[in-house]
Amino acid sequence: MKTIAVLTSGGDAPGMNAAVRAVVRTGIYNDMRVMGVYNGYEGLMNGDIEELSLRSIGNIIQRGGTVLRSARSAEFTQESGRLRALETCKKFGIEGLVVIGGDGSYRGALEFSRLGVTCVGVPGTIDNDIGCTDYTIGFDTAINTVMEMVDKVRDTTESHSRCSVIEVMGRDAGYIGLEAGIAVGATSILIPEFEYDFDKDVLGRMQNTIVTGKRHFVIIVAEGVGDAMEMAKKIEQFTGIETRATILGYVQRGGSPTVRDRVLASRMGNEAVRLLRDGEESCVIGVRNEEIVHYPIEEGLAMKKTIDVEQYRMAYEISI
Ligand code: ADP
């Protein structure tokens, strides 16, 4: 394979730049030309592409977001859009494509690979909700950001003996809520995977800790579970404890990637290009028990991930 391309797609995540850098450096190390595609599949259809040099991706390993920018593209979900993207690949001689994104981007890669371009998916999403990998690029940075933010909120929560309801990202997946909730010692962690009972799991848990002298509380709520503002109002109403809601929002998607995300992204970006170099079929990359693995895209997409029930139980046990 002489020419490959790399793009970032879907929701951005810290560490995507480190993956792009690894793809470019590995490609050039292996005598390939590496094209950078801007704005995800949109740029692939429109030919928004330039060749990346060793130095053009310098000084990005520490930066959040993605220098290739990201986009969502309705047109690419149509065959006509993908055929336009194929024309671009032919024009630039692109034989292999590294797609850094979430499972939506993987579905796009699966469809596109059927047109004859080998695609390798690299998991980049803060949600950690991709079945074929233990960790996704960006997750570690996101949970560290949540932890830092909650630690700051907690100082004032403690000084005023308040309750803080913190809304974190996670419409369908509670990985951020669970890990960050454990890290901040939340009294209650409410995530989409588990039904909760307001009286028992929020008020009851607060009440139990009040009896033993606790005077400030942090409740973590994943966005998919409900409205943090309303929950704060309800808590105040029922307990008489002053309660504030904080919605962390997009702060969770930004910032300089952690060591863990930079290393994971570098390993995965490197492996993606090595697979292309070795003539492997289209696939998605993951990490299992710290080892880098790959699966055919369809197989990877079919894999289900379930939240660690034991970890959830543990969080409850140690938050009394
Ligand atoms: P993420 O990759 O973060 O899950 P999206 O779900 O928005 O983000 O997917 C990113 C892009 O991948 C979409 O905008 C679309 O262009 C492409 N895509 C998603 N699903 C498909 C599909 N079934 N067929 C073709 N392209 C798809």
Side-chain angles (χ1 to χ4, degrees), residues 121-139:
V122 171
T125 164
I126 63 163
D127 293 317
N128 203 28
D129 59 350
I130 296 185
C132 59
T133 184
D134 293 345
Y135 290 104
T136 58
I137 297 164
F139 175 64

Side-chain angles (χ1 to χ4, degrees), residues 9-11 41 71-74 76-77 82 101-108 111:
S9 168
Y41 292 128
R72 294 196 161 89
S73 167
F76 193 77
T77 62
R82 292 193 295 275
D103 56 3
S105 303
Y106 281 8
R107 273 188 281 280
E111 295 298 335

